[in-house]
Amino acid sequence: MPRERGEKVVATNRRARHEYTIEKTYEAGLVLTGTEVKSLRQGRANISDGYAYIANGEAFLDAVHIPEYSQGHWTNHASKRIRKLLLHKDEIVKLSHAVSAGGYTLVPLKLYFNDGRAKVEIAVAKGKREYEKRQTIREREDKREAERAMRSRNRLGE
């Protein structure tokens, strides 16, 4: 029986949704040391520069910054190290085929605890071009402006 219930988000990668078109997402476990888990429980992590890759039939997460645990001593972990991802074999095969097809990359979207276990949500993503980013921003602003207009119209009772 887990001590914790539900989902507690530690870090999100908001930039990934702007920089990439998300195709499919997967939930993966993380192989962590004790001080890394304690640092994550304090809510300290940065996944904005992180990426995942497949090597020798295994998935790894690189460039994710989990700062050293403040009350740790000589057993503290390296803040930026390669961490192994726990996925099913068929998921690893699907991910490796998607990445090898070209144009796709694996980016972490969210780092969280699910029922007390550290998880990371990784996505198969395709990089956006500059004009696609501008178009996405324009669509979001147009939608926001339309909602504002409808709200003001409803307030005036027209």
Side-chain angles (χ1 to χ4, degrees), residues 29-33 36 50-56 58-66 77-86:
L30 281 165
V31 176
L32 300 172
T33 63
E36 285 176 320
Y51 63 94
Y53 64 92
I54 309 291
N56 300 327
E58 295 179 331
F60 297 96
L61 186 65
D62 197 7
V64 171
H65 181 73
I66 299 174
H77 63 278
S79 60
K80 277 197 177 186
R81 69 173 187 93
I82 298 171
R83 294 166 181 92
K84 188 174 177 181
L85 294 176
L86 303 173

Side-chain angles (χ1 to χ4, degrees), residues 97-110:
H97 287 308
V99 171
S100 65
Y104 289 99
T105 186
L106 301 174
V107 292
L109 298 178
K110 183 169 59 167

Side-chain angles (χ1 to χ4, degrees), residues 30-100:
L30 281 165
V31 176
L32 300 172
T33 63
T35 55
E36 285 176 320
V37 175
K38 290 181 178 192
S39 186
L40 285 177
R41 289 201 191 281
Q42 289 179 340
R44 301 168 63 207
N46 184 3
I47 62 171
S48 61
D49 296 333
Y51 63 94
Y53 64 92
I54 309 291
N56 300 327
E58 295 179 331
F60 297 96
L61 186 65
D62 197 7
V64 171
H65 181 73
I66 299 174
E68 290 185 351
Y69 181 55
S70 57
Q71 278 123 29
H73 43 81
W74 60 272
T75 59
N76 245 337
H77 63 278
S79 60
K80 277 197 177 186
R81 69 173 187 93
I82 298 171
R83 294 166 181 92
K84 188 174 177 181
L85 294 176
L86 303 173
L87 289 161
H88 291 284
K89 200 67 166 177
D90 59 329
E91 290 177 331
I92 293 173
V93 169
K94 286 178 189 176
L95 290 173
S96 66
H97 287 308
V99 171
S100 65

Side-chain angles (χ1 to χ4, degrees), residues 141 143-153:
E141 287 175 354
K143 182 180 173 188
R144 195 176 294 150
E145 191 175 313
E147 287 174 356
R148 260 191 220 121
M150 287 173 37
R151 208 172 326 133
S152 66
R153 184 171 180 239

